[in-house]
Amino acid sequence: MAAKSSLNPWQLHCARRTVLAGGVIAYPTEAVWGLGCDPWNQDAVERILELKQRPMEKGMILVAASVEQVRFLLDPLSRVLQWEAEQHWPGPITCLVPDVLEQIPDWVRGRHSTIAVRVSDHPVVRDLCEATGMPLVSTSCNPAGRQPARNIWQVRRYFGNQLDRIVPGALGGNRKPSRIIDIVTGKQFR
């Protein structure tokens, strides 16, 4: 069972409003601080890409509070592929899921036919996804070529007032970013 979130109702309300208004947030994840937004808001996603100096072609990860939040991506797949993804969740494993109906915008998926998805067991991530009612973009909180932020001080040093909200909380117990596994081939990317 996941730990209880450290967010109070007001912090969660403010974070929810920020995301739904098209804002960019920083928040703690399992291993590093992440940048996030509404994946269907192109302006918000492009702001993250600009902040990170990251090309859109690389694509980004979606995090969710539950398998049900990403059920729309799993339903078009075979039962075997659905099972393959679900056996890794919730937890710190990101699965490359075929987006066969192209439901995720190009600005999130990048040049890929798959979308990187993680159903998180981190309490802040889960609370944010539940409060917004959707999976969120999740990418490490750092400019390209720099180490991902591991504390709020680094978040502020990297991006200062360029973010719409910094959501407080502690990192999870993982020291390394999530493993990435292609559910079709079984290949592990990190």
Side-chain angles (χ1 to χ4, degrees), residues 56-57 59 102 104-112:
M56 185 182 300
E57 296 76 33
E102 296 184 357
I104 302 300
D106 292 345
W107 55 81
V108 175
R109 201 175 58 244
R111 61 175 157 73
H112 309 284

Side-chain angles (χ1 to χ4, degrees), residues 28-87:
T29 72
E30 294 89 344
V32 298
W33 278 76
L35 295 176
C37 68
D38 173 349
W40 288 276
N41 185 313
Q42 185 173 1
D43 291 339
V45 174
E46 287 176 352
R47 272 189 61 211
I48 288 178
L49 294 170
E50 185 178 315
L51 285 169
K52 286 184 60 80
Q53 302 160 9
R54 179 184 175 94
M56 185 182 300
E57 296 76 33
K58 283 188 168 185
M60 289 190 279
I61 293 172
L62 291 182
V63 290
S66 66
V67 172
E68 291 313 308
Q69 278 196 326
V70 292
R71 177 66 56 205
F72 69 100
L73 288 167
L74 299 178
D75 280 347
L77 304 178
S78 71
R79 293 296 306 150
V80 171
L81 289 180
Q82 289 180 42
W83 177 85
E84 187 64 38
E86 290 175 26
Q87 76 167 341

